[in-house]
Amino acid sequence: MRKLNLSRRSFVKLSAAVGAVSAFASAPAPAFAAVDPAMADAADVKVVRTCCRACGKNECGVLVTVENGRAVKVEGDAETAFHSMGNCCTKSQSSMQAAYHPDRLYHPMKRTNPKGNVDPGWVRISWDEAYATIASKFQELKDKFGGESMFFMGGTSRIWTQHAYAGWLQLVGSPNAVTAWQICKGPRHFATQLQSEFAFSWMATTDRPRVLVQWGTATEISNYDESCRTTVDLANTADTYISVDPRKTGLNHEADIWARLKPGTDGALALSWAQVIIENNLFKDLFVKRWTTAPFLVVEGMEPSGGVMVNGIALEDLKPMATRLLKECDLKEGGSPYRYMVWDELAGTDAAHPLHGNDASGHLTYFDAETGLWEGEPDEVWDQFYDNPQPNLPELTVPGRIAKESPFNPEIDPALRGEYDVVLADGKGYKMRPAWDIWVEYLQDFAPEKAAEITGLDADAIRDMAITWASPLDPSTGYGNGGIQYGLAPEHACNSIQNNRIFDTLVGITGNWDTPAGNRGPTCGMFSGAGDAQPTIVTGHFADLADAGFHDKILGCEKIPMLSWWQQWADCNAVQNAILTGDPYPVRGGLCEASGFMNQGNSTKYWEALNALDFFVVQDLWKTPTAGAADILLPVYHWMEVDCPRISQGSTGAQGATCRAIEPPADCRFDVDIVTDVYRAMGVPYADDPVGFGLPEGCTWPTSEQLFDKCVAPMGMTWAEYKEAFQEHGWWDCREIAPETWGTYRRYETGMCSKPDLVTPAGNPMKGMSTPTRKMEIWCPQMETYMPDGKYNLPTWDPAPQSELANPSIRNEWPYLMTTGRRIPVYFHSEHRQLPWCRELWPAPRVEINPRDAADLGIAQGDWVWIESPNGKIRQVADLYHGIELGTINTEHQWWFPELDQAGGGFDLCTINCLVDGDTQDPICGSSYLRAYHVKVYKATEENSPFGNPCPCGEDGTPIICDASDERLHRWLPNYEIREEA
């Protein structure tokens, strides 16, 4: 097979730019991790092709070398992994230290000391005892308080650890999923499901955009949607590289345009881009008129009405639609609530038509959301395509095809601007305007000169970057220069949904929505969707939840009404309150699977809530801080011990697998089997109808292999056959194996967007999006229905509540604006703090502060400093950095210290979420206010620090590891023998 080659347009220059990153990623492995070539013939050596999950996010293709049953090397798959290009980061290489770690959980454990004790008093128990205890306690809580009295925590997307999103909920009938999803990609999935298509926030990086827009992310050093080598190649091959980020990163100081905006003002800048794009007529007129609600007419003063709403991922019927968009039913009795009216500006009238009127400048016509057709449009399958001309595609990728843009047939020209008179069925006259006209008026408040005052950027620079991105470099392609690769920062300042709606709109109106290098959503391969690509999540009990009034019981929906529409998570903060107060009902038990309490809300309050539970289970690799509040601990497999199908969660377009490289140790079990075992212990069938669920007859509690057989069945293989094929073939490009659902761009033209099974009565695929209107809902009737004050009908922005823009006097007491959450090359959120290679490179949490600010505060490089908000205070090490603006600091998140032998792992010493205001949230999805708020900073001294030590210490005075030379790191070196212990 051919090896993948990177573009080298400016590789030398770029290598220097990310030199620090390269130093981390290429750290040499110690001698014990290498295969001795001289011994290779004598040893039992094999190389396993698999999918790395060391960071929990991407699906980098790697090869694991195994000698005599032990993993001795992890390296990138440069032969077949076109999506990760042979990348293998520090976290991946350190996986061997995790798999053989002496402090790993190897047996089920139970608590013997009361909650709140520094020492939980863990003792080893059998799996039989663990299962019996869990089944008994779950049943007891369900009988006494109802299934809703339990919540289930889930973390990042390792696929096989996603049961908190559905499987555990369905076991007991609870609506309360508390997931990292609420603050990590979930808001953008929520926003795009609301406005266009589920998760169409991902950018197709393997298509290599002509203009790379990196917004609030630094994927070159740690994975988000793509990482490391892939991101560097994106910047290399792009004609223009635009970075939107408050701080200088290893890559963006080489950007052609760097927008150093004020933290929390992302939405204002994005709206300014929209204003510039529209003012300069750089939007795709046909897309806006044909595929969005922009031309739909908003009637002032009309009583809201509508038909049944659709949310393809919800479990239960939604509220009846209540929108002021003009529909046929508003114009005449018996009219359809699904026929949305637009004003056709083409001359000519039809006096015989009851809707057309007699205005010679135009007339009303409609789009029918029931059929997906405009008035008079034939119900035909669109079959006009052209080859993808995108340059710079990586080797081994398949270009795919692009659906041509379909015209209006019959020809119409929906108005986007203006005001019109209309007489409704009630006989009264009203004024109506296209939704676009209302939004354009709103956008004037974000013209570059005004946005400059908000964001701290130069008005001409704002105008220049918007025009650069939106002006096609090659108009002959028919699409734009590429989408927007946006990170989590825009989701963490109480504008989560609206910011993501703005991005979705920008991508759509510039011709970058489901086009090459545009934002395309989750990969569709030979298996896709929650019931296929993630077979370990769902069971056969969705209907049971719907019948039980699922959405009415979701905690947080009274404060955040849209949660009843979304139905995918309970609000984390509302769950904490219910635990501590019993309001609106008691929450007394829970389970955590591959997650932690430090990721959202206020960590101190969260810890208090977990310790107040009657019963709590944690399944994980380690005794994490969350495990310190548990009653039962369950040991699980490491990714090198796992078998599981894998498909790109984003727009990368790769399909492959995680394949077991080494045997699991001691008493550890696979998360998938743990779930089905607990179902069995409680006497609940995993699937009431196994055959209907795609399982063999009588398969009441399927094994993981049977679930994976179900998953890969569309490939015509069993799971065993699929793994063997993957070892030989390597990664599949989904554009080749799924040409209609992934190898085709502009799937809204062909009916193959995200709902290829949704068909018209005539049997043809229904074109458009999966929204109630079948359009990109720039004016969103779903939002209008659940939040009738109308504030969020259009993509809008408000200042972060605890920022200077919202409270001009806040700097008087809290002088520093704080951002946080940046990626660290050697860590992924709270993971890897006990791996020697990682901890040596990055031993302690750092706060970046401008040297001039540091001098004013008497702070030197390496000093421990206090960071304080009205909600708490913690310490981090000062890192003097000119790349952060004056008056702004950048902190690190989710720090804890495995070296401290105490229940909470010292999370309260340095975890930045101890400073969070848990009551201030995004009003639409409830995501926590995690950054862009104000704090004070001062030096930690002997006088103001516990134990007289500026360095944080455990409860017994033991200092944390904060130096690479600390001898305690040696205690974490691999222990191979412990794996054999039964």
Side-chain angles (χ1 to χ4, degrees), residues 28 75 109 174 200 223 226 338 370 373 485 582 606 735 795 851:
E75 59 187 324
M109 313 283 278
S174 171
F200 267 54
N223 181 27
E226 297 298 349
Y338 302 103
E370 270 196 308
L373 303 171
Q485 186 187 47
Y606 211 156
R735 280 169 290 203

Side-chain angles (χ1 to χ4, degrees), residues 755-796:
K755 301 289 184 295
D757 57 337
L758 191 62
V759 296
T760 68
N764 290 333
M766 188 183 290
K767 295 177 284 189
M769 290 76 169
S770 298
T771 59
T773 63
R774 307 295 303 172
K775 305 297 181 188
M776 177 180 281
E777 294 187 341
I778 296 176
W779 179 283
C780 182
Q782 303 176 92
M783 192 83 81
E784 189 179 9
T785 299
Y786 279 83
M787 305 189 78
D789 62 4
K791 184 176 181 180
Y792 306 111
N793 294 346
L794 291 161
T796 57

Side-chain angles (χ1 to χ4, degrees), residues 311-450:
N311 178 358
I313 63 172
L315 300 185
E316 185 156 336
D317 289 342
L318 306 170
K319 285 185 178 181
M321 184 182 292
T323 179
R324 290 186 292 124
L325 293 177
L326 183 64
K327 301 164 292 301
E328 187 183 58
C329 64
D330 302 313
L331 293 167
K332 67 175 186 177
E333 188 175 350
S336 170
Y338 302 103
R339 289 182 172 179
Y340 293 90
M341 312 307 295
V342 302
W343 188 260
D344 180 6
E345 292 192 301
L346 292 183
T349 62
D350 180 0
H353 197 297
L355 304 180
H356 284 181
N358 56 8
D359 187 339
S361 65
H363 57 253
L364 289 170
T365 186
Y366 62 79
F367 170 76
D368 192 333
E370 270 196 308
T371 63
L373 303 171
W374 290 86
E375 182 180 16
E377 185 176 14
D379 187 7
E380 298 175 338
V381 176
W382 187 248
D383 59 357
Q384 302 295 309
F385 304 95
Y386 61 101
D387 292 336
N388 176 11
Q390 190 73 1
N392 302 319
L393 291 174
E395 289 187 38
L396 306 184
T397 59
V398 176
R401 63 180 185 171
I402 306 169
K404 292 182 178 180
E405 295 177 283
S406 61
F408 283 104
N409 179 24
E411 187 177 0
I412 63 171
D413 187 18
L416 293 176
R417 308 295 298 272
E419 182 176 84
Y420 307 93
D421 295 316
V422 65
V423 177
L424 300 186
D426 60 10
K428 297 178 182 178
Y430 295 83
K431 298 290 185 182
M432 59 184 182
R433 296 167 65 190
W436 185 260
D437 194 48
I438 300 171
W439 195 50
V440 169
E441 180 179 68
Y442 173 78
L443 291 177
Q444 302 319 302
D445 288 336
F446 298 90
E449 287 70 23
K450 295 181 179 180

Side-chain angles (χ1 to χ4, degrees), residues 64 71 74 95-96 99-100 638-642 659-662:
V64 178
V74 183
S95 292
M96 292 177 293
Y100 300 108
H638 181 265
W639 70 263
M640 287 198 292
E641 300 151 8
V642 160
C659 295
R660 176 179 290 178
I662 56 177

Side-chain angles (χ1 to χ4, degrees), residues 232-382:
V232 172
D233 196 59
L234 295 180
N236 271 338
T237 56
D239 293 72
T240 305
Y241 168 30
I242 299 173
S243 172
V244 182
D245 200 307
R247 59 183 295 276
K248 183 175 290 187
T249 70
L251 187 61
N252 76 6
H253 75 274
E254 293 292 328
D256 299 285
I257 303 174
W258 173 28
R260 191 175 185 170
L261 83 171
K262 185 177 297 183
T265 63
D266 304 85
L269 178 59
L271 288 170
S272 191
W273 280 29
Q275 195 276 338
V276 171
I277 288 165
I278 293 169
E279 182 182 73
N280 289 274
N281 202 33
L282 293 173
F283 62 93
K284 295 280 288 184
D285 184 76
L286 181 60
F287 181 89
V288 170
K289 291 178 176 179
R290 186 154 167 70
W291 299 109
T292 81
T293 58
F296 288 11
L297 296 163
V298 181
V299 182
E300 297 179 14
M302 181 181 79
E303 187 68 26
S305 65
V308 175
M309 285 198 297
V310 176
N311 178 358
I313 63 172
L315 300 185
E316 185 156 336
D317 289 342
L318 306 170
K319 285 185 178 181
M321 184 182 292
T323 179
R324 290 186 292 124
L325 293 177
L326 183 64
K327 301 164 292 301
E328 187 183 58
C329 64
D330 302 313
L331 293 167
K332 67 175 186 177
E333 188 175 350
S336 170
Y338 302 103
R339 289 182 172 179
Y340 293 90
M341 312 307 295
V342 302
W343 188 260
D344 180 6
E345 292 192 301
L346 292 183
T349 62
D350 180 0
H353 197 297
L355 304 180
H356 284 181
N358 56 8
D359 187 339
S361 65
H363 57 253
L364 289 170
T365 186
Y366 62 79
F367 170 76
D368 192 333
E370 270 196 308
T371 63
L373 303 171
W374 290 86
E375 182 180 16
E377 185 176 14
D379 187 7
E380 298 175 338
V381 176
W382 187 248

Side-chain angles (χ1 to χ4, degrees), residues 695-739:
L695 296 169
E697 185 176 355
C699 184
T700 307
W701 296 290
T703 64
S704 53
E705 184 166 356
Q706 287 171 320
L707 287 170
F708 299 155
D709 283 342
K710 167 183 178 286
C711 177
V712 302
M715 294 286 286
M717 305 177 188
T718 64
W719 171 237
E721 292 168 338
Y722 180 88
K723 284 193 299 179
E724 185 177 351
F726 176 64
Q727 294 303 311
E728 175 63 26
H729 177 277
W731 292 83
W732 287 274
D733 186 339
C734 293
R735 280 169 290 203
E736 181 175 25
I737 63 175

Side-chain angles (χ1 to χ4, degrees), residues 71-133:
V72 295
K73 183 168 69 171
V74 183
E75 59 187 324
D77 180 358
E79 296 285 348
T80 76
F82 62 91
H83 54 298
S84 54
M85 305 181 68
N87 181 65
C88 186
C89 73
T90 315
K91 298 181 290 294
S92 182
Q93 295 176 44
S94 298
S95 292
M96 292 177 293
Q97 293 192 329
Y100 300 108
H101 202 287
D103 286 351
R104 184 177 162 184
L105 280 173
Y106 288 98
H107 310 282
M109 313 283 278
K110 72 175 180 181
R111 169 186 294 274
T112 59
N113 290 334
K115 297 280 186 77
N117 276 26
V118 174
D119 177 14
W122 298 118
V123 297
R124 176 178 171 179
I125 59 174
S126 68
W127 276 103
D128 287 344
E129 181 179 350
Y131 286 148
T133 303

